[in-house]
């Protein structure tokens, strides 16, 4: 078991290495991109990568406190579901409403069980999980974002 400090250091080290690994990859529009803090340009709509416990996830999250806005964005995404899954090359889980803490959100996600950010031997699997999906999300967003503006 790691102390909080050791765990935090490993987490920071992983995300730094992942960021460096992704840095030379240009977006679908051919520009340099901040992959770890991907900017969708739409308030309350985020692409997130997480590793919690022994599970990694990548997701599209709609975090608007306004239920109607959240539902509208989710419906816009649902209209492009087939296209999204084609670009991703796989199907993701769609949840129009999920409570996390004191925030409700709509989430579309894919998970990878059995990995931990604390185990360096899992880092290649984590990178192999996140990289192609993040690049695919960018490709999707490049073509789909106008529907949200």
């Amino acid at each position: 078991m790691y102390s909080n400090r050791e765990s935090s250091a490993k987490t920071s080290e992983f995300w730094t290495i992942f960021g460096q690994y992704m840095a030379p990859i240009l977006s679908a529009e051919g520009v340099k991109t901040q992959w770890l803090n991907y900017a969708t340009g739409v308030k309350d709509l985020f692409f997130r990568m997480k590793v919690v416990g022994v599970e990694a996830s990548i997701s599209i999250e709609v975090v608007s406190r306004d239920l109607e806005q959240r539902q509208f964005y989710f419906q816009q995404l649902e209209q492009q579901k087939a296209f999204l899954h084609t670009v991703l090359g796989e199907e993701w889980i769609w949840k129009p409403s999920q409570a996390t803490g004191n925030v409700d959100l709509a989430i579309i996600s894919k998970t990878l069980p059995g990995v931990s950010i604390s185990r360096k031997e899992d880092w290649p699997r984590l990178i192999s999980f996140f990289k192609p999906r993040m690049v695919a999300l960018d490709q999707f967003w490049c073509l789909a974002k106008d529907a949200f503006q």
Side-chain angles (χ1 to χ4, degrees):
M1 196 74 168
Y2 296 104
S3 70
N4 285 345
R5 181 180 292 174
E6 290 170 322
S7 182
S8 179
K10 283 215 186 232
T11 298
S12 292
E13 183 183 3
F14 171 78
W15 290 114
T16 299
I17 288 169
F18 182 73
Q20 291 168 346
Y21 180 76
M22 294 293 289
I25 300 169
L26 299 178
S27 74
E29 295 175 327
V31 297
K32 207 165 172 59
T33 299
Q34 228 356 300
W35 294 103
L36 295 179
N37 296 308
Y38 189 91
T40 64
V42 175
K43 183 179 183 239
D44 301 327
L45 195 143
F46 304 94
F47 296 167
R48 307 223 187 200
M49 296 175 282
K50 299 176 187 171
V51 184
V52 178
V54 290
E55 183 176 87
S57 66
I58 186 166
S59 60
I60 301 170
E61 297 181 8
V62 182
V63 191
S64 177
R65 292 186 185 271
D66 180 341
L67 176 62
E68 288 180 18
Q69 184 71 39
R70 193 168 61 244
Q71 289 173 335
F72 173 76
Y73 283 162
F74 192 79
Q75 289 168 352
Q76 292 292 101
L77 288 162
E78 278 186 312
Q79 290 175 5
Q80 299 183 47
K81 185 176 188 175
F83 175 58
L84 175 62
H85 286 172
T86 297
V87 173
L88 291 167
E90 63 190 5
E91 291 191 11
W92 285 21
I93 304 298
W94 293 67
K95 295 180 183 174
S97 182
Q98 178 174 319
T100 48
N102 58 355
V103 177
D104 286 334
L105 56 96
I107 187 167
I108 304 160
S109 65
K110 183 73 174 179
T111 59
L112 175 67
V115 291
S116 172
I117 209 164
S118 298
R119 295 189 304 248
K120 281 192 173 187
E121 61 269 19
D122 286 349
W123 289 8
R125 285 182 60 209
L126 288 167
I127 290 170
S128 295
F129 175 72
F130 288 132
K131 178 191 172 196
R133 288 167 180 86
M134 199 64 209
V135 170
L137 281 175
D138 173 63
Q139 291 170 337
F140 163 77
W141 194 243
C142 180
L143 297 171
K145 67 183 169 190
D146 289 341
F148 296 85
Q149 311 265 321

